[in-house]
Amino acid sequence: MTDQRVLEKAAPAEPPPPAVRPAPGRRRPRFDRQRVSMLLFIAPAAILYALMMIVPSLQSIQLSLTDWDGISPTFEYVGLRNYEDILTGGRFWNAVKNTLILGLGSAVIVNVIALAVAMMLDKLEHAQGFFRTIVYLPALVSGFIAATIWKYVLNYNFGAVNSTLKSLGLDAQTRDWLGDHDIVIGVLLFIICFTLGGNTTLIYLANLQSVPQELVEAARIDGASRTQVFRYVTWPMLAGAVTVNMTLMMIAGWTIFDQIMVLTMGGPGFISETMAFFIYKVGFGEYRAGYGSAAAVVLFVVVMATTVIANRYMRSREIQA
């Protein structure tokens, strides 16, 4: 009896039966139900997005090949004539130049200033919430409202800037800030940078606070200076934030419209037109909807191409870092 028990204990346990797996071509009914439920939840938003975004975009491509004025029920197809007129017109290239200055310029300036401000906020030990709120406040104001405020501040006759200069005896320094063709682009660049920095600063601040302090302390113990710590420890950890902020700022820069609409209406003349305002002006103000649609298609291609190229470069920099 004892030998039989010993043999039973020594005998290897039987392996559990293999789990029954469904055939490769079959799907579980529960998974199918979940998938249908998810599609039903997504369907309303997808349909609305298609009706409001995709269908009008495709229709714009069709209208860009016509001479439609935006009002008449009929139009004629003119082929690529609208695109030829756009690419050979000086007004369009002036809008492209302004968009590059305002878009890329604001992207670089805002990111540099936002990173510097975020680093200062990260070093604060007291009242961090108060200063974060102050920095973020301009982002809460819509571009239209902010531009309206700046329009009154920079007014030549009764604006706060010129009034202050006159009260200080600097009458010679007063300017028609929004009407002087030599400085209007610089003024617009300043206003755009002022209103777009809040979100960028908070993104950098969040990434700075996620940098492992052990790496920073180790670098300092090894004798690294503040500049070296930032260059070799902090900066590589911010690569993802730089990619996000630069991409968002470039897209926002390419589509600048409300500030131009409120402050200058593209003037004086056509000096301060951007691509987005150029599309609005020719499409709705000059009743050349076909021409404006062609400009919109060109803007879409430019935005997509520059965003993809910039994103790839930023991603490659992240990998190297």
Side-chain angles (χ1 to χ4, degrees):
M1 190 69 179
T2 305
D3 295 339
Q4 186 177 357
R5 290 180 179 178
V6 171
L7 291 175
E8 288 179 355
K9 292 182 180 180
E14 294 183 2
V20 179
R21 297 182 178 179
R26 295 182 181 178
R27 294 182 179 178
R28 297 180 180 179
R30 182 179 178 183
F31 177 78
D32 290 339
R33 288 195 298 269
Q34 291 179 349
R35 189 171 186 179
V36 171
S37 300
M38 289 187 293
L39 291 176
L40 290 176
F41 276 108
I42 296 172
I47 293 173
L48 183 63
Y49 181 80
L51 292 176
M52 300 297 294
M53 299 295 295
I54 297 178
V55 173
S57 299
L58 296 176
Q59 192 175 14
S60 295
I61 298 175
Q62 176 194 3
L63 294 176
S64 69
L65 305 174
T66 69
D67 61 352
W68 188 43
D69 59 3
I71 298 176
S72 302
T74 59
F75 52 80
E76 294 182 2
Y77 285 92
V78 296
L80 299 177
R81 191 177 70 188
N82 289 328
Y83 293 96
E84 294 175 0
D85 294 342
I86 288 173
L87 298 178
T88 57
R91 183 180 172 186
F92 171 77
W93 291 110
N94 177 69
V96 171
K97 181 192 72 175
N98 292 337
T99 305
L100 285 172
I101 295 173
L102 297 177
L104 296 181
S106 62
V108 174
I109 294 172
V110 168
N111 273 275
V112 172
I113 296 176
L115 179 57
V117 173
M119 293 183 67
M120 289 188 290
L121 291 176
D122 187 49
K123 300 299 181 181
L124 287 178
E125 297 182 359
H126 306 287
Q128 287 188 0
F130 172 76
F131 287 105
R132 290 179 191 176
T133 304
I134 295 298
V135 169
Y136 188 70
L137 276 179
L140 298 178
V141 182
S142 69
F144 181 86
I145 300 299
T148 303
I149 295 172
W150 279 107
K151 185 176 183 178
Y152 284 101
V153 171
L154 298 174
N155 185 275
Y156 178 75
N157 297 313
F158 55 82
V161 174
N162 282 347
S163 298
T164 303
L165 291 174
K166 290 178 181 178
S167 65
L168 296 175
L170 301 174
D171 295 40
Q173 303 301 322
T174 59
R175 295 285 187 277
D176 186 3
W177 302 101
L178 300 175
D180 189 339
H181 66 277
D182 291 328
I183 62 173
V184 63
I185 297 300
V187 173
L188 291 173
L189 179 60
F190 169 79
I191 294 173
I192 291 169
C193 292
F194 180 82
T195 56
L196 293 180
N199 292 325
T200 309
T201 302
L202 290 187
I203 292 175
Y204 279 130
L205 181 60
N207 279 263
L208 282 171
Q209 293 182 343
S210 65
V211 174
Q213 292 301 310
E214 296 81 2
L215 298 178
V216 177
E217 294 298 332
R220 289 176 179 172
I221 292 173
D222 290 340
S225 63
R226 291 185 177 181
T227 304
Q228 291 174 328
V229 170
F230 175 78
R231 180 179 178 182
Y232 296 107
V233 179
T234 306
W235 179 247
M237 300 294 290
L238 295 176
V242 173
T243 301
V244 171
N245 284 330
M246 284 297 295
T247 302
L248 293 177
M249 287 299 302
M250 286 181 62
I251 295 175
W254 277 116
T255 57
I256 292 172
F257 173 80
D258 43 3
Q259 292 91 341
I260 308 300
M261 178 73 176
V262 175
L263 294 170
T264 65
M265 288 294 292
F270 304 126
I271 292 297
S272 61
E273 282 186 341
T274 59
M275 291 182 68
F277 187 81
F278 171 78
I279 293 169
Y280 163 79
K281 194 70 175 290
V282 299
F284 297 97
E286 302 175 8
Y287 301 103
R288 293 191 289 169
Y291 187 82
S293 297
V297 173
V298 173
L299 176 60
F300 173 78
V301 172
V302 170
V303 171
M304 289 297 295
T306 53
T307 303
V308 169
I309 293 172
N311 232 330
R312 286 187 176 181
Y313 170 75
M314 293 292 180
R315 293 297 182 186
S316 65
R317 195 187 68 82
E318 288 182 31
I319 295 174
Q320 292 174 2

